[in-house]
Amino acid sequence: ADALVCVIGDEDTVTGFLLAGIGEVDLKKNSNFLVVTPKTTTTQVEDAFKAFTNREDVAVVLITQTVADSIRYLLDEYQAMVPTVLEIPSKDNPYDASKDSVMQRILKKMSVEK
Amino acid sequence: ANELNEQIDQELRLFLTAIDEYQTLSAELNGYCKSGCFDIARARKAMSCEGRTVSQLQYPAAFTARVGVDLDTDLESAMTVKDLTRAEEAKKDEEDDSTSKSVDPIKWFGVLVPQHLRNSQRTFSRGLEAAVGAANAYHKIKRHYDHYSSLMEKKRSQNE
């Protein structure tokens, strides 16, 4: 089945992935991306994350780590395999591999089952 | 018991291989994102001399995805990057909806764009492939870990 890739992040990262062709905006202004600026509220980011991860036509959600940090509790609660949520580096901040939510989820699972 | 132990070892090996694959692809994805953003910044600098820029203000009001993912639920959510424009062209023959025609996104920023912007497009396309690869590796990690856990549970029940 055909599915989309969503992206939540700074303008340049989102623009980059839109250049790659993943972006979509329909006539009702529903989109599969969110450009996060200093004016974007945490609620808007939360709403976008929840909307993208609840869509049945989405396979992957890319989110920059800086934005992911602002809604870390939502990512920690998220357990579904599809859409797969992947963290990517922000334009202005170095990527911290120790915060990678995928690896954190695996390590947590392993420590619980010990 | 030996056969069970071999199965456990095999699943553990596959689990660790999948983790290694995920970390490699994740590192590649990170590299592509950084490089792609750097090229966008360079393109923006080059275009600023002509009074042009690269920003979300150039995004059209409506557009369709040209690239997506083929999600194979039968193969436990295996994913591959897919060109969606061919399906759209077939649909174009049936209906004429000019507002949803997909255009190469690089054209949003002008007819003649700096090479850096084209480089960025290529880099982020590779980044997309790496992202889908990393997602597949994550699915493998979970699958092998679940198999490993169930085999360990079976071994524990046999030992009791």
Side-chain angles (χ1 to χ4, degrees):
Chain A
D2 292 348
L4 297 174
V5 176
C6 294
V7 58
I8 303 172
D10 57 85
E11 187 179 58
D12 283 3
T13 303
V14 171
T15 299
F17 279 107
L18 261 54
L19 281 171
I22 67 162
E24 186 163 281
V25 179
D26 63 21
L27 296 171
K28 293 179 187 173
K29 303 292 178 196
N30 296 318
S31 68
N32 67 334
F33 59 90
L34 175 69
V35 175
V36 177
T37 67
K39 292 181 185 174
T40 310
T41 63
T42 306
T43 308
Q44 286 174 304
V45 176
E46 286 172 356
D47 290 345
F49 181 81
K50 287 175 189 170
F52 295 162
T53 51
N54 282 323
R55 283 176 66 163
E56 290 179 355
D57 62 343
V58 170
V60 179
V61 176
L62 302 172
I63 182 167
T64 58
Q65 196 168 64
T66 311
V67 174
D69 283 343
S70 71
I71 57 165
R72 184 57 64 193
Y73 58 97
L74 275 184
L75 267 78
D76 288 344
E77 277 174 9
Y78 183 75
Q79 298 293 328
M81 294 303 294
V82 178
T84 308
V85 175
L86 295 176
E87 288 184 41
I88 54 179
S90 313
K91 187 182 79 162
D92 299 323
N93 290 302
Y95 184 76
D96 184 351
S98 67
K99 286 186 188 175
D100 184 301
S101 57
V102 166
M103 290 309 301
Q104 286 301 316
R105 231 171 281 148
I106 296 162
L107 291 170
K108 193 177 174 186
K109 199 174 159 61
M110 289 167 69
S111 63
V112 162
E113 292 192 11
K114 269 182 191 170
Chain B
N2 274 342
E3 194 184 321
L4 184 60
N5 286 336
E6 277 171 19
Q7 283 178 340
I8 288 171
D9 286 344
Q10 172 70 352
E11 285 302 327
L12 195 51
R13 266 193 297 272
L14 290 170
F15 168 67
L16 294 172
T17 303
I19 287 183
D20 186 50
E21 188 183 339
Y22 172 79
Q23 289 180 323
T24 302
L25 288 164
S26 189
E28 276 182 28
L29 171 59
N30 292 344
Y32 289 134
C33 287
K34 282 187 183 307
S35 175
C37 283
F38 185 50
D39 276 324
I40 285 181
R42 288 161 92 177
R44 184 178 289 121
K45 188 168 189 286
M47 289 164 75
S48 65
C49 307
E50 300 159 14
R52 296 192 289 158
T53 188
V54 178
S55 79
Q56 60 176 318
L57 295 173
Q58 276 79 47
Y59 300 172
F63 51 97
T64 53
R66 293 168 60 83
V67 171
V69 165
D70 184 10
L71 184 61
D72 192 338
T73 50
D74 290 336
L75 283 178
E76 297 174 305
S77 306
M79 298 187 246
T80 47
V81 176
K82 184 176 174 179
D83 180 352
L84 300 177
T85 53
R86 287 180 195 172
E88 195 198 299
E89 276 169 14
K91 216 174 150 185
K92 242 168 54 177
D93 294 337
E94 294 171 16
E95 56 187 60
D96 183 26
D97 184 358
S98 55
T99 55
S100 64
K101 273 183 194 166
S102 76
V103 166
D104 184 350
I106 206 146
K107 292 182 182 170
W108 302 345
F109 304 97
V111 176
L112 292 173
V113 296
Q115 189 58 37
H116 291 307
L117 200 62
R118 296 192 186 279
N119 292 346
S120 177
Q121 185 178 47
R122 263 194 300 275
T123 304
F124 273 101
S125 293
R126 289 190 200 123
L128 182 62
E129 297 271 0
V132 171
N136 283 332
Y138 175 44
H139 291 185
K140 278 190 225 174
I141 289 169
K142 184 168 188 311
R143 194 162 63 240
H144 291 305
Y145 186 74
D146 287 347
H147 287 171
Y148 165 77
S149 292
S150 67
L151 288 170
M152 284 301 289
E153 192 53 47
K154 194 174 169 184
K155 185 177 177 178
R156 267 192 287 274
S157 61
Q158 278 182 357
N159 289 341
E160 280 167 7

